[in-house]
Amino acid sequence: MTQLLLSIDWTPFLVSIKLSIITCIILFCFCIPLAWVFTFKQFRAKKILETIITLPLVLPPSVVGFYLLILFSKYSFLGNFLEKHFNITLAFTFEGLVIASCIYSLPFMFNPLYNAMSMISKNIIEASFSLGKNSFITLFKVILPSIKPAILSALVISFAHTMGEFGIVLMI
């Protein structure tokens, strides 16, 4: 049994774990302020942006991966620009895979955080502001502790979704 475990190439599993961890960290850091803005600010394009964020839920992963591969290739405007000016290649690289995974797993991190922040009473937030706390302190001392279950849920779902995603990995 030990001989069998030692003879297995663990590289794909370890790359998947690394990809999932990095994706979760990036999405968490990106989605907390994004959920804050969507919850507490009103702006014109809000519904359109919500639809764009939710789009990966309805599109097949291989389709998303295919279009991201085209977007990341050196023949597209973005791919050509990044390669020419910054010497960055995203197609068929781990960095490109991280960006693609972040795009595809975005709704799995954003939706639980946004829904939980939307459920917080405005009175609690106004009380924090009336006590002289700014938005940053209110976020870290009032809002985030109030939505711990949603944070845990978002992290677990995003990690599991990224771990199990094959269509994006196959394409990028």
Side-chain angles (χ1 to χ4, degrees):
M1 182 68 173
T2 308
Q3 184 73 9
L4 177 65
L5 289 176
L6 292 176
S7 66
I8 295 174
D9 182 14
W10 291 96
T11 307
F13 179 72
L14 295 175
V15 168
S16 295
I17 292 285
K18 179 181 173 184
L19 175 65
S20 297
I21 290 170
I22 291 170
T23 299
C24 281
I25 291 169
I26 291 169
L27 283 177
F28 183 74
C29 293
F30 179 73
C31 285
I32 290 290
L34 186 65
W36 169 272
V37 167
F38 272 74
T39 302
F40 299 111
K41 304 292 181 192
Q42 295 300 323
F43 52 96
R44 211 174 263 214
K46 186 175 181 179
K47 290 295 181 191
I48 294 170
L49 290 175
E50 282 180 27
T51 304
I52 292 170
I53 289 169
T54 309
L55 203 56
L57 289 174
V58 296
L59 292 174
S62 55
V63 171
V64 175
F66 176 73
Y67 286 114
L68 287 174
L69 179 60
I70 290 172
L71 183 67
F72 293 167
S73 77
K74 63 182 177 181
Y75 302 109
S76 75
F77 174 76
L78 178 66
N80 187 24
F81 177 80
L82 290 174
E83 190 169 333
K84 184 187 277 185
H85 296 290
F86 300 105
N87 199 25
I88 295 173
T89 304
L90 294 178
F92 306 115
T93 64
F94 185 77
E95 293 80 12
L97 188 56
V98 168
I99 293 170
S101 291
C102 286
I103 291 168
Y104 196 69
S105 293
L106 177 65
F108 294 94
M109 180 70 74
F110 174 76
N111 287 338
L113 297 175
Y114 176 52
N115 291 334
M117 281 189 193
S118 298
M119 300 302 289
I120 294 175
S121 171
K122 306 292 186 233
N123 294 337
I124 296 171
I125 295 163
E126 289 173 4
S128 176
F129 289 145
S130 71
L131 292 171
K133 307 301 180 196
N134 61 22
S135 296
F136 187 77
I137 298 294
T138 301
L139 176 66
F140 282 97
K141 298 282 185 174
V142 177
I143 294 174
L144 292 182
S146 299
I147 64 167
K148 276 188 216 175
I151 291 171
L152 182 61
S153 174
L155 288 169
V156 168
I157 291 170
S158 297
F159 183 86
H161 183 260
T162 305
M163 249 332 253
E165 181 45 52
F166 183 69
I168 295 285
V169 173
L170 179 68
M171 291 295 183
I172 302 296

